[in-house]
Amino acid sequence: MWHSRSVTPVVEAWSAYRTRTATQWKPRDLVRDKGASSVSVVIPARDEEDTVGPIVRTIRRHLVDRVPLVDEIIVVDSRSRDATAQVAAAAGARVVCQDRMTRGLPRLEGKGDALWAGLAAAEGDVVAFVDADLRRFQPHFVSGLLGPLLTDQSVAFVKGFYHRPLEGSAGAERDGGGRVTELMARPLLNLFWPELAGFVQPLAGEYAGRRTVLEQVPFVSGYGVETAMLIDLLELVGLDALAQVDLGERRHRNQSTEALGRMAAQILYTAWSRLHRQGLVTTARPPTSALTQFRRGGGAEALPGLDREVVVTDVSVRERPPLARVRAVVRS
């Protein structure tokens, strides 16, 4: 229950109205609600040969073969150096190459570009996105996201949320994952887009939307894609068209603190771009995109007196335009 003094009435009402649990929908019932519409599942993957196969097999076994809820499973090979593409294809997915789907367009890096390529490749009226590094994947991760969209035409986009254990030497901390969410994304959204404060996992990699809506928003190339998507969708369709679903528990590979720092910096840069676009930042000069980090040791690369290697990363973000604007180029 929301505390009346800690959340706005708008967010409290939205959370009560638009928050559901994945287990309340049975796949067989959703097939009836689906009617003549079609569903695609897109899985962006880079060097995920250990986990992508079980994910694809689970979706195919439970939501394609046993129950015809999902019409196609697409794995976007994002320049993998391992056997991700071969494993995904053997498990029953249609594998598309990120660079092939974006040929004729500027080369971009990062997860967001793979998501955009997957949307371009998908044929479904409803498109669900699932990360490729999940362990102990369950079919309700997909059916739960589809539930609000197939049963309520006023819902345009659904975000997943879950418990995220952080496994360490002392055991697993049940909600220790999601550090970037708590330290960067949530404070930013609460400060500048308070209508989005009710989203439990704004950076969740599991979400679904109607194609007609997803094709109208740009996709940020890097790790800011989920932040930008929520902000852009809020502006495009309004809070009432957004929903969230409890998916239970999510287990995946945890990132290093250094990697999380780079992710947080990209999210901050992405937020700045939206603030500027909405006229909340008046200067046209973007912030510096160079993130300086320090790595212990470093040998010959260490700076004198620091005993640390200086690592500088470009955290600027670029974006693909809304797919609807360039569909003709992608299809050619």
Side-chain angles (χ1 to χ4, degrees), residues 159-181:
K159 192 82 168 176
F161 70 94
Y162 27 64
H163 293 293
R164 297 181 62 184
L166 177 62
E167 298 177 359
S169 57
E173 183 182 349
R174 190 182 186 194
D175 288 311
R179 290 162 287 174
V180 176
T181 293

Side-chain angles (χ1 to χ4, degrees), residues 282-294:
T282 56
T283 178
R285 182 179 180 181
T288 178
S289 62
L291 173 66
T292 301
Q293 295 175 298
F294 297 89

